[in-house]
């Protein structure tokens, strides 16, 4: 008999799971307890075993698909009647759908599996934009609830050069793909989570960005000395812990930038502590682990925590708990390049600071004998602020306060 | 890693140095089978959970030796107040996998009539296995209360309260140990220091140098033992049980072990348990170690594990199928076991429900969703 295997709630209160990979194919014989598919939920990635011995006759989702709990994952043909409470046979399902058992009102109806070629779930505006841009909706990954495609998803697919769209229309539009061909990378896992976070930030926060140039000549000298002190204690001291201290100190004066929006309560939460999200480039993509209580910690302690974080990021062992609870974030592109940026706020923070590389340039120094030209070191800082929650002047004043602290880092000791 | 302060009996090579454990060859083999059966029961329950047939399970990989060693030190007249990983103690004392599976499925033959979560067993015989509490440490004062009652009645039963390192941070730990000390109650506290309270490492649980040392504050002896060494646990718990039975009061035993699986079926330990620690503790597997000990005594040979495993798999799989096919508890059980005489308003509600079910039929089993 045929068993339609539905995705169970493998955690307590899990709503959906993403198919990571199938461990068997349609037509394969499986034994009871044999792992069939790997599914990633909010809580864990788990292997789902077969409930009985038989043959897998159909897979109802592909790797990368998000399946709701109760959605059919695969069909299993068994020789005998299943001693399985969890998996309903096709005939039972049909009878229940027809109200045959009279118990339909008590049971939660299960949505039928999405048939191949079905109309994609999308908002009306997404459909209109897709028509205008000639984008196939079935090729767009939806980031809305239950995978609903939103207008921004369509625009993102278009804006990204429409990697998938170009492929879909290559034959009809005769777009040259070049001699090198193209590679398709599944849009899922961490990449998709990052995408969701970015879209959430852009859809909610009203970003404005201000850039300031800071003379860090003194900071460079101080850091050289701190580096030597740190080396004695086995701690690598970078510029980042000084910047973090300066941010914490500047936020004391501008608490309106330190916190988050609690949309449900309709309140702006101002935090009396500084937890800094540190945007970190890892092999799997961007992660923003949080360092807590920066206002209470010294530069060396922060340097130690940063080193630990970098280590965890390299080994892929940043626990999800460490990715929560930031009150402000810092993104550092300084070691890569660029002179300024428009940082995207780490939702639901109020603001973010972008840190850029140090450059030696001639600068005007004011002295008792008048102005003179010297080789100075400069660093640019970009701050994006959510204009809904703070005003432009707040952002600029914050950046000026930060500039004062970093140009004369002795002030950090006050 | 296990520190030198924890008592060990069986060496890494299986040599117990002539230790007298007081168990016959048959009893030693029974211990071995109980550990393996516990492991297989755990494996099957996780498979049942992942395929949606039961709602919840709690892995206990790596702590079977601690469970069986402690259980072997108890008489059938004693009382176990277990933590949710301790079903190995029930299996050791002869509770059948089928009775345990009735609980996993919450069916009509479940001793708790489907009112408890899965893996929250309770049995009145062959040993008193008190209904498992999900809230941490609440069963510690209950064990002390029961022990105090045995004392007052002049009965020589002993209570074993088993909990994790996280349990020592609960209020129940303090009030339980405090009054057990005051009353010299016949109770043994078994703290399974398995390294983790969900994702909190045991280093995040206390500033004390050990868990065993906390006993001093309550006026009782505290002993630390290698929790992956069945005979060492049996020795230490046995001595504590003897003291309790002789009226000399409670003992706190810290069994140092490691949780090799997740906290529960809802947990992903790969996110926080360092792989090197798992590997190091894998080397200290309690079953492998006991096999070496049995081999030294000429009681075990290559292939024995396979046999026991196969038998256990067949028995436990069959138990799962039988329990899974059982009907759920009857509708009337909603109204039973609380009042001796049902109050009128509940009687009226019951009659309305029964009338409805007579006319419409009872709801069929769900389709694999567990609306927890």
């Amino acid at each position: 008999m045929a068993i339609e295997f539905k995705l169970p709630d493998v955690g307590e209160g899990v709503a959906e799971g993403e198919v990571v990979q199938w461990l068997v194919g349609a037509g394969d014989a499986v034994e009871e307890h044999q792992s069939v598919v790997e599914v990633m939920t909010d809580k864990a990635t788990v292997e789902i075993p077969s409930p009985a011995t038989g043959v897998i006759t159909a897979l109802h989702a592909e790797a990368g698909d998000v399946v709701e709990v109760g959605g059919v994952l695969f069909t299993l043909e068994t020789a005998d009647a299943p001693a399985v409470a969890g998996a309903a046979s096709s005939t039972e399902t049909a009878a229940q759908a027809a109200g045959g058992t009279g118990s339909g009102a008590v049971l939660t109806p299960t949505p039928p599996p999405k048939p191949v070629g079905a109309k994609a779930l999308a908002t009306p505006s997404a459909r209109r934009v897709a028509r205008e841009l000639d984008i196939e909706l079935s090729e767009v990954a939806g980031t809305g609830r239950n995978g609903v495609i939103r207008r921004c998803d369509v625009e993102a697919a278009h804006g990204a050069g429409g990697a998938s769209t170009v492929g879909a229309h290559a034959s009809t539009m005769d777009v040259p793909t070049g001699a090198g061909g193209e590679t398709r990378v599944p849009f899922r896992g961490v990449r998709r989570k990052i995408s969701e976070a970015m879209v959430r930030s852009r859809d909610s926060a009203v970003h404005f960005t201000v850039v300031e140039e800071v003379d860090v000549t003194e900071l460079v000298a101080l850091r050289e000395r701190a580096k030597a002190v740190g080396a004695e204690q086995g701690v690598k001291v970078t510029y980042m812990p000084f910047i973090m201290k300066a941010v914490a100190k500047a936020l004391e004066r501008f608490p309106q930038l330190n916190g988050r929006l609690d949309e449900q309560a309709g309140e702006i939460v101002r935090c009396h502590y500084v937890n800094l999200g540190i945007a970190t480039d890892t092999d799997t993509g961007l992660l923003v682990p949080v360092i807590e209580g920066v206002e209470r910690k010294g530069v060396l302690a922060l340097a130690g925590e940063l080193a630990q974080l970098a280590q965890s990021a390299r080994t892929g062992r940043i626990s999800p708990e460490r990715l929560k609870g930031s009150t402000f974030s810092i993104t550092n592109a300084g070691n890569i390049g660029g002179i300024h940026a428009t940082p995207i706020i780490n939702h639901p923070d109020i603001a973010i600071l972008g840190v850029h590389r140090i450059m030696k340039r001639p600068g005007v120094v004011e002295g008792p004998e008048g102005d003179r030209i010297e080789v100075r070191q400069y660093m640019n800082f970009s701050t994006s602020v959510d204009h809904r929650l703070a005003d432009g002047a707040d952002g600029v004043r914050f950046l000026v306060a930060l500039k004062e602290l970093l140009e004369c880092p002795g002030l950090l000791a006050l | 890693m296990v520190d030198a302060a924890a008592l060990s009996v069986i060496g890494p090579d299986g040599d117990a140095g002539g230790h007298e454990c007081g168990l016959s060859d048959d009893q030693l083999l029974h211990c071995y089978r109980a550990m393996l059966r516990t492991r297989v029961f755990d494996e099957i329950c996780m498979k049942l959970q992942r395929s949606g047939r039961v709602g919840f399970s709690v892995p206990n990989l790596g702590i079977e030796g601690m469970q069986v060693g402690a259980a072997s030190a108890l008489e059938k007249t004693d009382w176990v107040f277990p933590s949710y990983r301790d079903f190995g103690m029930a299996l050791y004392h002869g509770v059948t996998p089928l009775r345990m599976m009735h609980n996993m499925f919450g069916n009509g033959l479940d001793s708790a009539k489907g009112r408890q979560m899965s893996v929250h067993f309770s049995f009145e015989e062959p040993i008193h296995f008190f209904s498992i509490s999900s809230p941490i440490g609440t069963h510690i004062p209950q064990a002390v209360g029961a022990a105090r009652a045995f004392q007052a009645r002049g009965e020589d039963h002993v209570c074993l309260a088993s909990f994790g390192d996280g349990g020592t941070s609960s209020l129940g730990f303090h009030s339980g140990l405090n009054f057990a000390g005051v009353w010299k109650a016949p109770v043994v506290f078994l703290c399974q220091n398995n390294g983790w309270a969900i994702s909190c490492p045991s280093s995040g649980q206390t500033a004390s140098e050990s868990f065993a040392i906390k006993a001093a504050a309550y006026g009782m002896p505290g002993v630390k033992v290698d929790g992956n060494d069945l005979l060492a646990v049996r020795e230490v718990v046995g001595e504590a049980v003897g003291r309790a039975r002789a009226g000399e009061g409670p003992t706190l035993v810290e069994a140092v072990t490691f949780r090799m699986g997740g906290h529960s079926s809802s947990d992903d330990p790969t996110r926080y348990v360092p792989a090197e620690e798992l590997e190091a503790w894998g080397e200290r597997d309690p079953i492998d170690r006991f096999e070496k000990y049995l081999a030294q005594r000429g009681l075990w040979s290559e292939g024995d594990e396979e046999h026991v495993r196969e038998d256990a798999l067949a028995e436990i799989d069959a138990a799962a199928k039988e329990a899974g096919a059982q009907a759920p508890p009857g509708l009337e059980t909603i109204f039973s076991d609380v009042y001796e005489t049902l109050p009128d308003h509940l009687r009226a509600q019951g009659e309305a429900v029964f009338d409805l079910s007579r006319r419409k039929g009872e709801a069929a089993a769900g389709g694999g969703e567990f609306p927890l």
Side-chain angles (χ1 to χ4, degrees):
Chain A
M1 76 182 306
I3 294 172
E4 295 201 318
F5 183 87
K6 296 169 181 173
L7 176 64
D9 179 358
V10 290
E12 291 155 89
V14 163
E16 60 184 23
E18 180 179 324
V19 174
V20 178
Q21 61 167 328
W22 286 97
L23 305 170
V24 301
D28 286 359
V30 292
E31 297 207 6
E32 184 181 2
H33 302 322
Q34 182 185 333
S35 292
V36 171
V37 58
E38 213 177 286
V39 173
M40 180 173 80
T41 70
D42 289 347
K43 293 186 178 177
T45 300
V46 299
E47 285 184 1
I48 306 279
S50 173
T53 300
V55 174
I56 304 274
T57 52
L59 309 180
H60 296 286
E62 287 177 23
D65 285 356
V66 174
V67 179
E68 277 183 57
V69 168
V72 177
L73 265 180
F74 58 88
T75 308
L76 177 73
E77 189 69 40
T78 61
D80 47 65
V84 175
S89 73
S90 311
T91 46
E92 277 171 34
T93 315
Q96 282 166 6
T101 63
S103 59
V106 187
L107 296 168
T108 317
T110 313
K114 200 162 108 181
V116 183
K119 197 173 168 190
L121 289 171
T123 62
S125 65
R127 286 186 198 289
R128 180 175 54 77
V129 174
R131 258 197 316 277
E132 287 168 7
L133 297 174
D134 195 19
I135 285 177
E136 202 53 59
L137 274 178
S138 59
E139 302 285 322
V140 178
T143 60
R145 199 172 157 75
N146 300 329
V148 169
I149 300 165
R150 299 187 296 171
R151 181 179 167 168
C152 54
D153 299 329
V154 178
E155 287 169 349
H158 181 68
S164 55
T165 344
V166 171
H169 295 280
S171 55
T172 53
M173 291 169 68
D174 202 26
V175 174
T177 53
E182 51 191 37
T183 306
R184 290 176 175 235
V185 180
F187 182 48
R188 58 178 182 249
V190 174
R191 191 71 253 162
R192 185 140 87 189
K193 293 279 177 217
I194 293 171
S195 155
E196 286 168 13
M198 292 301 164
V199 170
R200 195 161 58 231
S201 175
R202 206 206 59 170
D203 278 4
S204 55
V206 178
H207 285 70
F208 84 87
T209 303
V210 52
V211 182
E212 180 63 279
E213 180 185 76
V214 176
D215 180 336
V216 291
T217 313
E218 275 189 44
L219 179 64
V220 170
L222 175 63
R223 184 257 179 170
E224 275 308 313
R225 294 174 66 177
K227 205 169 145 185
V229 176
E232 283 168 21
Q233 301 178 25
V235 180
K236 186 185 163 202
V237 181
T238 61
Y239 290 100
M240 193 54 126
F242 292 99
I243 295 167
M244 290 166 74
K245 277 314 289 181
V247 164
K249 212 148 179 70
L251 286 174
E252 266 176 34
R253 286 176 57 196
F254 300 97
Q256 58 270 49
L257 300 186
N258 184 39
R260 63 182 184 275
L261 176 65
D262 184 343
E263 260 168 290
Q264 273 184 335
E267 288 166 346
I268 298 171
V269 184
R270 285 193 180 153
C271 299
H272 307 299
Y273 50 88
V274 180
N275 290 353
L276 289 181
I278 308 294
T280 307
D281 181 34
T282 72
D283 286 345
T284 45
L286 172 74
L287 291 175
V288 193
V290 175
I291 292 188
E292 294 181 350
V294 174
E295 79 285 2
R296 289 184 277 111
K297 292 175 181 163
V299 167
L300 275 185
L302 291 172
E305 278 196 51
L306 281 168
Q308 226 171 28
L309 214 56
Q311 167 74 15
S312 309
R314 265 198 300 280
T315 55
R317 290 208 168 274
I318 294 184
S319 78
E321 287 310 305
R322 293 216 66 173
L323 302 175
K324 289 181 200 153
S326 64
T327 62
F328 187 99
S329 295
I330 300 180
T331 176
N332 176 12
N335 47 5
I336 306 174
I339 57 168
H340 70 79
T342 53
I344 307 292
I345 295 165
N346 184 25
H347 180 86
D349 290 359
I350 297 171
I352 186 168
L353 179 73
V355 176
H356 306 289
R357 74 169 188 268
I358 297 174
M359 292 171 289
K360 277 188 190 173
R361 282 202 283 102
V364 178
V365 179
E366 289 175 25
E369 287 112 48
D371 294 349
R372 61 179 194 282
I373 304 278
E374 261 182 30
V375 175
R376 305 290 295 180
Q377 312 221 39
Y378 292 95
M379 197 171 187
N380 286 350
F381 289 86
S382 317
T383 296
S384 291
V385 176
D386 186 346
H387 214 325
R388 295 176 307 163
L389 313 174
D391 291 328
D394 297 331
V396 181
R397 286 194 193 105
F398 165 76
L399 206 48
V400 170
L402 192 70
K403 177 184 164 86
E404 280 169 16
L405 289 165
L406 289 172
E407 292 199 334
C408 182
L411 295 175
L412 289 174
L414 294 184
Chain B
M1 244 340 70
V2 170
D3 53 78
L7 178 91
S8 281
V9 168
I10 308 177
D13 57 350
D15 187 7
H19 172 80
E20 272 307 320
C21 64
L23 291 173
S24 68
D25 289 355
D26 277 350
Q27 286 170 322
L28 285 170
L29 288 171
H30 177 73
C31 287
Y32 175 67
R33 282 192 296 269
M35 281 196 287
L36 257 183
R37 277 153 58 87
T38 302
R39 185 165 291 186
V40 172
F41 188 87
D42 172 24
E43 287 167 7
I44 291 184
C45 285
M46 282 304 290
K47 298 276 188 190
L48 293 174
Q49 199 279 340
R50 292 295 186 236
S51 57
R53 285 174 282 177
V54 305
F56 183 72
S57 194
V58 176
N60 68 359
L61 184 64
I63 55 173
E64 301 90 343
M66 194 275 315
Q67 295 177 17
V68 172
S72 78
L74 296 174
E75 299 293 333
K76 294 237 187 305
T77 46
D78 291 333
W79 286 60
V80 179
F81 288 75
S83 87
Y84 34 53
R85 275 181 230 291
D86 289 332
F87 54 80
M89 298 191 192
L91 273 171
Y92 171 86
H93 278 286
V95 173
T96 61
L98 180 60
R99 289 171 71 194
M100 291 166 58
M101 280 296 173
H102 289 322
N103 160 273
M104 293 303 296
F105 285 88
N107 66 28
L109 297 177
D110 170 23
S111 58
K113 302 182 187 175
R115 294 161 180 158
Q116 261 277 31
M117 285 176 79
S118 299
V119 217
H120 288 55
F121 306 104
S122 53
F123 305 106
E124 290 180 24
E125 44 74 37
I127 192 164
H128 304 284
F129 194 85
F130 199 76
S131 188
I132 292 174
S133 306
S134 264
I136 301 303
T138 51
H139 59 300
I140 300 174
Q142 292 165 0
V144 176
R148 175 80 181 101
F150 297 142
Q151 197 180 36
R153 288 178 183 173
E155 296 168 349
D156 71 349
H157 312 320
V158 173
C159 295
L160 176 84
S162 172
F163 45 88
D165 40 309
T168 63
S169 297
S170 70
L171 299 172
F173 176 81
H174 170 68
S175 43
L177 269 74
N178 185 53
F179 282 102
V182 171
W183 293 327
K184 281 191 174 298
V187 56
V188 176
F189 301 103
L190 178 61
C191 171
Q192 309 172 25
N193 176 4
N194 69 15
W196 299 92
I198 308 191
S199 57
C200 177
S202 48
S203 60
Q205 206 65 249
T206 183
S208 302
E209 65 175 58
S210 73
F211 292 100
I213 200 175
K214 291 169 186 270
Y218 300 107
M220 65 179 81
V223 192
K224 202 173 193 179
V225 63
D226 179 347
N228 286 20
D229 181 341
L230 187 149
L231 293 186
V233 175
R234 174 181 159 79
E235 173 76 19
V236 168
V237 173
E239 204 181 311
V241 168
R243 278 174 28 79
R245 219 184 293 285
E248 292 165 28
T251 308
L252 171 61
V253 176
E254 174 184 353
V256 185
T257 180
F258 200 80
R259 195 191 76 205
M260 300 294 288
H263 167 76
S264 76
S265 50
S266 304
D267 179 35
D268 183 0
T270 62
R271 294 192 188 186
Y272 57 85
V273 176
E276 357 11 306
E277 272 194 67
L278 276 179
E279 203 177 308
W281 279 93
E283 301 281 309
R284 308 182 54 90
D285 183 80
I287 296 183
D288 290 351
R289 203 146 145 210
F290 200 64
E291 271 173 7
K292 287 181 188 155
Y293 167 75
L294 291 179
Q296 287 221 348
R297 298 190 49 146
L299 295 173
W300 187 89
S301 54
E302 216 51 62
D304 285 1
E305 176 175 355
E306 250 346 270
H307 287 309
V308 178
R309 251 188 179 278
E310 274 169 23
D311 288 352
L313 258 173
E315 182 190 6
I316 297 167
D317 251 344
K321 292 208 167 49
E322 189 176 338
Q326 285 291 334
L331 208 49
E332 70 285 354
T333 59
I334 295 175
F335 300 92
S336 62
D337 300 327
V338 177
Y339 293 97
E340 193 176 62
T341 312
L342 205 60
D344 288 345
H345 70 287
L346 290 180
R347 184 181 306 283
Q349 285 178 20
E351 276 162 10
V353 168
F354 300 145
D355 178 53
L356 195 68
S357 89
R358 268 193 300 276
R359 285 190 286 118
K360 301 265 190 182
E362 280 193 32
E369 308 93 67
F370 286 87
L372 281 175

